[in-house]
Each structure stands twice: as C-alpha cells, then as structure tokens.
Amino acid sequence: MSDREDNEKKPLLRSGDQSEYNSASLRPSTENVSDVQVGPFELPPPYNASQPGGNPMVTCRVCQTMIDISGKRDQHVVKCSNCNEATPIKSAPPGKKYVRCPCNCLLICKSISVRIACPRPHCKRIINLAPSPVTPSLPVTPGMCRVSCIHCANTFLFNYLQNALARCPHCRKISSVGPDFAKNRGTLFLIVGFIFLLLGIGVTFGTYQYAKGHGGVYITYVGAFIIAIIAFWRSMYYYTMKISTIEGAL
C-alpha cells in the first residue's frame, strides 16, 4: 500500500469520543483482509425538527435514531448515542469526501481516492471506491455566486440579481445575501410606513368634522394606520435580518 493510501485512513471522531477510531497502529495486515466496492460517497442527511421551534435533529445513517445536534452545528460529524457510529452534518471539507465502510465506520478521504483501508482492528477491509459522479459544468449565469449561510455555515449557490431573499438548502432558513438587499428593503418599508402614517394623521384632522356624519370615513383612518404599522414591522424585519456572505462569483 502506498504512503498516500496510508494517509487516507483518517478517523472522524476524536479518541476521547471513540477510542477504536485511533488509527495510529491500525495499518491493515495481509490477514483477513477483503476487498469491497463502496460508492458513491456519503452526503450529510437533511435537518429535521422534533416539533415546531424544537431542537435541530438529524437521522443516524446507521440505526435511524434521531440525533440532537444543538450546539454541534460547527462540527462536521456527530456520534449517535445509540450505536456509537458517526453521521456527517456538514459537507466534507474541500477536496475530501465521506465513505461508509460495510462495518459502518465513517471515513474521510481525498475526493480522488479510489482505494482506502478501514482502520478498525476487527475489519481492516480494503475499500475500492466507486468513481464519484461527474458533475456537469454549470452555465455561466450573471449574478450567480457561492454563498456561505449565516445560520449553518454551509455553502450554496444563489443569484443575487433575483432581488429576493435566499433560503439555504441545508438548514432551510432565510437570510439576505449581502447587506444591501435587506438595507434597501428596510428603508423602502420605512418610507412607506411614514407616508401612510402622515396620510392617516392628515386625513384624520382634515376630515374630523365631516366624519361625524359619515361613519364610513373612519375606515379610511383605520386602513391608513394599519398599513403604516405593517410597513414599520416589515422594515424592522429587514433591518434585523441576518446576512449571509458572498464567497465568490462563479
């Protein structure tokens, strides 16, 4: 086995979490080693919530137990408390990919690797990796860029020329791409709110005597003030919205 293949035997959990992942002395021997075909590489499962407003959860890829990932969103993998196996919650680092051995050991290796060894002493399989699917090149689209989500730190593609909010495909939360969109929308609704507020006050004082004999005029007062309140609320919503950052254009 080459030195590069030895470097692929990289465990995902610290020794304090699961000691059997320590691969310092787990070089595969020539005894009881079998070749297996694995592929394609594993992707993180989608986020779920136990109930509206509940803790973020993911499903264990081995035993299907729900795993609470509160406070672990900055990690790449989490360990299941039921089966003690690892499940990814973030995409693999650039140039890497996840591989699940038939013994359920989750490994990380280079994206170009085609043959790696499982470090577990009771397994030590030589894993032949199926080729990763070829991703077709994306057409050049004006405004298309890579965005880092402010909520989960994952990267996704977004066209900032769409003049809309971005919904992250990983955590499904909404954010503004760059500060300009949210700031401009907040300012627009703030101006609209002041216009309808002044309009409501002006109409109220200007037609107060007339409204005494025509009750329908009060609907105009109420309508103007309701629109002003809604506009002020939307303005506050945009001004306090979290901002996702643009990593670079395609």
Side-chain angles (χ1 to χ4, degrees), residues 26-218:
L26 301 182
R27 301 181 182 276
S29 63
T30 56
E31 298 179 2
N32 300 324
V33 175
S34 60
D35 282 19
V36 293
Q37 184 80 13
V38 175
F41 58 90
E42 182 162 329
L43 296 175
Y47 292 110
N48 295 303
S50 57
Q51 56 185 357
N55 295 332
M57 311 282 284
V58 295
T59 304
C60 175
R61 282 294 176 85
V62 178
C63 67
Q64 310 308 312
T65 299
M66 299 302 295
I67 306 173
D68 184 358
I69 60 171
S70 300
K72 302 177 182 178
R73 300 288 282 274
D74 58 336
Q75 300 178 197
H76 279 80
V77 299
V78 292
K79 186 176 70 170
C80 175
S81 59
N82 182 52
C83 65
N84 290 325
E85 298 293 352
T87 291
I89 59 174
K90 273 188 180 182
S91 300
K96 302 288 185 177
K97 62 183 177 182
Y98 297 117
V99 176
R100 179 79 65 180
C101 178
C103 73
N104 292 326
C105 178
L106 184 66
L107 308 173
I108 186 171
C109 63
K110 294 180 180 178
S111 57
I112 60 174
S113 298
V114 295
R115 188 177 172 87
I116 62 174
C118 176
R120 287 185 171 174
H122 65 273
C123 180
K124 294 188 178 181
R125 287 183 174 90
I126 303 301
I127 304 173
N128 297 309
L129 304 179
S132 301
V134 177
T135 303
S137 59
L138 296 174
V140 178
T141 305
M144 189 65 70
C145 59
R146 293 188 303 274
V147 177
S148 177
C149 178
I150 188 63
H151 299 286
C152 66
N154 278 308
T155 302
F156 62 95
L157 298 180
F158 180 75
N159 190 333
Y160 64 86
L161 297 180
Q162 290 179 349
N163 201 29
L165 298 176
R167 182 182 291 275
C168 176
H170 304 282
C171 65
R172 307 303 298 170
K173 292 184 178 180
I174 295 176
S175 62
S176 173
V177 175
D180 292 339
F181 178 79
K183 182 180 178 181
N184 293 340
R185 283 296 177 92
T187 303
L188 175 62
F189 278 104
L190 185 63
I191 294 173
V192 171
F194 275 117
I195 290 175
F196 275 92
L197 179 62
L198 296 176
L199 180 64
I201 294 174
V203 172
T204 300
F205 282 99
T207 61
Y208 180 75
Q209 295 297 329
Y210 177 79
K212 290 181 178 180
H214 301 80
V217 178
Y218 290 110

Side-chain angles (χ1 to χ4, degrees), residues 228-245:
I229 292 173
I230 293 176
F232 285 134
W233 178 83
R234 293 295 293 177
S235 175
M236 184 64 65
Y237 171 75
Y238 280 107
Y239 276 131
T240 58
M241 176 173 288
K242 292 187 176 182
I243 309 299
S244 294
T245 56

